[in-house]
Amino acid sequence: MTLYNPYVKRIHELFIEKNPGEPEFQQAVDEVLKSLQPVIESHPEFEENAILERLIEPERAVRFKVPWLDDEGKVHINRGYRIQFNSAIGPYKGGLRFHPTVNGSVMQFLGFEQTFKNSLTGLPMGGAKGGSDFDPKGKSDREIMRFCQSFMTELYKYIGADVDVPAGDIGVGGREIGYLFGQYKRMKGEFTGVLTGKGLSYGGSLIRKEATGYGLLYIVEKMLKDTAEDSVTGKRIVISGSGNVAIYAAEKAISLGAKVLAMSDSSGAVYDPNGIRLDVIKVIKEQEHARIKVYAERVPGSQYLENSKDLYRIPCDIALPCATQNELDADSARALVANGVIAVAEGANMPSTPEAVEIFQSAGIRFLPAKAANAGGVAVSGLEMCQDSMRFFWTAEEVDAKLKNIMESIFVKIRDAAAAYGMPGDYVSGSNIAGFLKVAEAMVAQGIAY
Ligand code: NDP
């Protein structure tokens, strides 16, 4: 899609000029601006209120130093970030990522995307993201704890249950959230729902751990039913990654009667023609924190593939990229299409390159972008905030039913928005438009506040 609307074109040029050297942020904004053009043309009030200029600029971006001591007493310095992108529809909300690839561009792209995703859930949450270039791999429990405590010693100034509620993301799971929560409580002297993804013993929600992966399957199931009276049952699925999102996507896929053929990590992939044994993956990844290669050593008939991307060369019906940004490139997309894939849904954030998305869309593959497809995680985080405020907790069945309902309603919103603006079946545009409209209307209503 090209840029044809003069206002959008001008904002795009301004954006590129102001954000040089930020490729991920540019990629995310580029896609959104292109797909918002028909909306801008039919809503002059958005230009009058400079909505696009305001939307692409984070409300606040904090960068801070995180000093910490390793087990030998050596001092290390990492960078911490919190990008509070947009608070038009609720307190800032978005995960924390601890990974060596974290930088300002990655944080801004994730915070920007989060704004639309949170809007799609229908829950009152603004967009944010944060994290650090700290690498948790190979660190002891005590080192992780000291890092989290130092990180929170600065971050606590900017967050709060009604201000900004971080959660986990890559490298930040239940253990890290526990250490972060403990330090926040100590610094502020208050027990509030300031973080989500908490343990069940101190204010966490049932189904939060499973939410992103389960939600991904709920929306894929809804899309297949809606577009083809079809279902996930009996389908062959490949899932990249073997972290939180991938594992629980696989769990729900298997429980719906699909066969998961392959999973991966950053060093390689495993292919099991008999269907991946998730019990073995969980032991390797959740308990032993080992490489996925071990799976092929333990499960007869399975095979190790040296390159993670080779997973996309396996013939399958559905592909679920659940690892990291830009992991699914044009070559992988071509291989999937040639092998007859019928649907691709993004569990990770922006895992498909723009070229890959283009290939899927022009081949008529049903493609669900991350903003819609992986919104289940933040949706249950929103439900966790709700439960913390009520000081009353729902059963797993209740949370799961609400999650399913939210994912199905997201599909309806993005399908209808795409159709209303003349792009039926284009769920990328549908997600951007539906997510945008609610935020833009709230920004107009609140005047030139941010
Ligand atoms: P985890 O850290 O739990 O898992 C990430 C997984 O991806 C690991 O198995 C990792 O392997 C693997 N991986 C990393 N890079 C590659 C690569 N290039 N090729 C193949 N595998 C790779 O993270 P999450 O599961 O929490 O997050 C995954 C994605 O989902 C991220 O994009 C995140 O932003 C997104 N997301 C997560 C949500 C959540 O609730 N957790 C919510 C919404 C989105 P290794 O161990 O080798 O690094």
Side-chain angles (χ1 to χ4, degrees):
M1 199 191 290
T2 49
L3 286 172
Y4 54 84
N5 176 280
Y7 171 46
V8 177
K9 254 181 152 165
R10 182 164 54 78
I11 298 313
H12 189 259
E13 278 162 22
L14 185 77
F15 171 78
I16 299 290
E17 200 182 300
K18 282 179 91 173
N19 298 278
E22 306 221 317
E24 295 86 359
F25 188 30
Q26 288 186 6
Q27 186 180 334
V29 170
D30 193 62
E31 178 207 286
V32 169
L33 288 181
K34 281 177 182 159
S35 57
L36 291 182
Q37 295 182 100
V39 186
I40 295 301
E41 303 230 314
S42 58
H43 286 271
E45 74 276 19
F46 293 153
E47 182 171 357
E48 282 155 25
N49 285 282
I51 291 297
L52 292 183
E53 293 89 318
R54 291 158 61 198
L55 191 76
I56 58 174
E57 193 66 29
E59 291 174 8
R60 192 170 298 100
V62 190
R63 197 183 99 183
F64 51 95
K65 176 159 73 179
V66 190
W68 59 279
L69 290 175
D70 69 19
D71 289 342
E72 272 73 55
K74 191 164 172 262
V75 182
H76 297 264
I77 304 293
N78 283 99
R79 272 188 185 170
Y81 298 86
R82 188 69 182 165
I83 313 292
Q84 296 176 329
F85 223 102
N86 191 296
S87 62
I89 62 168
Y92 305 109
K93 178 95 196 86
L96 297 172
R97 176 178 292 191
F98 291 170
H99 195 271
T101 56
V102 163
N103 57 39
S105 171
V106 169
M107 291 287 99
Q108 297 208 87
F109 121 65
L110 289 165
F112 179 71
E113 295 256 310
Q114 195 78 44
T115 304
F116 298 85
K117 185 184 309 186
N118 293 2
S119 164
L120 286 175
T121 66
L123 300 172
M125 301 181 289
K129 202 79 188 187
S132 171
D133 58 1
F134 171 75
D135 187 358
K137 277 208 193 92
K139 305 290 187 302
S140 71
D141 260 14
R142 288 290 189 240
E143 287 172 334
I144 301 270
M145 183 183 77
R146 283 194 293 275
F147 176 80
C148 289
Q149 289 176 337
S150 180
F151 184 85
M152 185 54 86
T153 301
E154 186 63 25
L155 184 72
Y156 91 99
K157 298 169 189 165
Y158 309 102
I159 62 175
D162 292 320
V163 180
D164 181 356
V165 183
D169 189 69
I170 294 179
V172 179
R175 173 182 60 172
E176 290 75 18
I177 293 291
Y179 295 148
L180 291 164
F181 183 79
Q183 185 69 358
Y184 180 87
K185 186 161 60 89
R186 186 175 177 205
M187 305 288 299
K188 291 284 284 188
E190 61 182 33
F191 192 116
T192 59
V194 67
L195 291 160
T196 59
K198 300 186 293 298
L200 296 177
S201 56
Y202 62 96
S205 173
L206 289 159
I207 308 290
R208 174 60 190 90
K209 185 173 67 168
E210 296 85 353
T212 311
Y214 280 19
L216 179 63
L217 268 295
Y218 291 145
I219 195 167
V220 170
E221 183 79 344
K222 170 77 178 159
M223 173 179 71
L224 291 178
K225 180 156 185 9
D226 196 85
T227 54
E229 275 300 323
D230 200 353
S231 93
V232 168
T233 312
K235 297 288 183 298
R236 298 162 303 157
I237 304 189
V238 299
I239 302 180
S240 70
S242 46
N244 173 263
V245 179
I247 286 179
Y248 292 95
E251 183 167 283
K252 184 53 77 179
I254 293 166
S255 81
L256 290 172
K259 189 189 255 190
V260 177
L261 292 179
M263 295 180 77
S264 61
D265 63 18
S266 59
S267 39
V270 286
Y271 168 47
D272 190 339
N274 299 315
I276 289 281
R277 283 192 44 201
L278 202 58
D279 55 333
V280 178
I281 292 281
K282 280 188 178 176
V283 169
I284 295 169
K285 288 296 174 186
E286 294 186 333
Q287 291 171 27
E288 298 171 359
H289 304 288
R291 304 279 77 205
I292 203 156
K293 189 179 187 173
V294 176
Y295 182 93
E297 293 157 13
R298 288 188 192 162
V299 180
S302 67
Q303 192 187 335
Y304 181 62
L305 311 171
E306 297 276 343
N307 186 337
S308 312
K309 286 185 183 163
D310 286 347
L311 159 141
Y312 295 120
R313 307 203 165 274
I314 299 166
C316 64
D317 305 304
I318 298 172
L320 303 175
C322 296
T324 194
Q325 62 266 11
N326 291 326
E327 44 135 329
L328 200 171
D329 59 14
D331 282 347
S332 300
R334 277 188 215 103
L336 285 165
V337 173
N339 282 326
V341 75
I342 61 162
V344 178
E346 297 186 321
N349 282 314
M350 208 168 72
S352 317
T353 63
E355 297 76 33
V357 177
E358 175 70 38
I359 290 166
F360 293 136
Q361 290 188 322
S362 35
I365 309 299
R366 295 177 191 88
F367 177 78
L368 282 172
K371 289 184 194 85
N374 71 24
V378 74
V380 173
S381 273
L383 299 179
E384 181 174 333
M385 288 166 72
C386 194
Q387 294 170 86
D388 286 345
S389 305
M390 292 190 298
R391 290 177 160 73
F392 176 80
F393 292 86
W394 294 313
T395 62
E397 291 70 27
E398 286 171 314
V399 179
D400 198 28
K402 290 183 203 303
L403 168 65
K404 188 158 186 266
N405 192 26
I406 290 172
M407 297 311 296
E408 291 180 352
S409 75
I410 290 176
F411 179 75
V412 171
K413 278 180 210 168
I414 67 172
R415 178 198 66 194
D416 293 354
Y421 285 92
M423 296 172 280
D426 176 353
Y427 304 130
V428 173
S429 298
S431 302
N432 290 335
I433 293 169
F436 168 78
L437 280 171
K438 182 176 175 191
V439 174
E441 278 160 22
M443 287 172 76
V444 171
Q446 290 169 39
I448 316 295
Y450 268 122

